[in-house]
Amino acid sequence: KEKFKTTLEDKVKKDAEDALKKLKDELQVDAFQFDIFLRSHHYNLWKEVKDDWDHGKNYFAKSDINVQVNANILEPGNSFRVKKKEGEE
């Protein structure tokens, strides 16, 4: 169970970091809405950067975001994938 938990956490962290990299470096848009967190928890800073958050000076693209993942597996189970027929999306 612990090995699965660690593997899951590593995979989720990598996927989140890859998505963040694409958003920050390529798209330069805050699709995860970190601005809401910033406005709620650091309002004075938010007032200073809001007009250039994800455009203009684009503080979002220049920001450092650390991803931490803590998986909590309540009960192991099975999963399956349905194989799509050729031509299906």
Side-chain angles (χ1 to χ4, degrees), residues 8-25 29 31-32 34 60 65-70:
L8 177 62
E9 289 171 345
D10 291 346
K11 173 69 171 140
V12 170
K13 182 175 181 174
K14 182 183 180 321
D15 289 350
E17 289 173 340
D18 290 348
L20 275 169
K21 181 172 177 40
K22 183 169 186 94
L23 288 171
K24 288 174 60 180
D25 297 347
V29 64
F32 289 139
F34 290 108
F60 168 70
I65 300 172
N66 298 310
V67 176
Q68 296 178 342
V69 178
N70 183 17

Side-chain angles (χ1 to χ4, degrees), residues 1-87:
K1 186 174 177 179
E2 192 61 35
K3 183 177 179 183
F4 177 73
K5 178 184 183 300
T6 302
T7 302
L8 177 62
E9 289 171 345
D10 291 346
K11 173 69 171 140
V12 170
K13 182 175 181 174
K14 182 183 180 321
D15 289 350
E17 289 173 340
D18 290 348
L20 275 169
K21 181 172 177 40
K22 183 169 186 94
L23 288 171
K24 288 174 60 180
D25 297 347
E26 294 177 35
L27 303 174
Q28 296 190 340
V29 64
D30 181 13
F32 289 139
Q33 298 181 328
F34 290 108
D35 60 331
I36 293 171
F37 177 86
L38 188 62
R39 186 174 57 235
S40 297
H41 297 280
H42 304 282
Y43 186 71
N44 289 335
L45 176 60
W46 171 247
K47 287 192 305 187
E48 293 177 31
V49 301
K50 67 180 180 178
D51 293 332
D52 287 310
W53 178 242
D54 62 357
H55 54 277
K57 293 181 183 176
N58 204 327
Y59 292 112
F60 168 70
K62 298 173 187 172
S63 65
D64 292 322
I65 300 172
N66 298 310
V67 176
Q68 296 178 342
V69 178
N70 183 17
N72 186 11
I73 301 169
L74 301 176
E75 188 175 318
N78 294 324
S79 65
F80 63 92
R81 293 181 186 215
V82 176
K83 188 173 181 179
K84 295 179 182 179
K85 294 178 184 177
E86 191 173 318

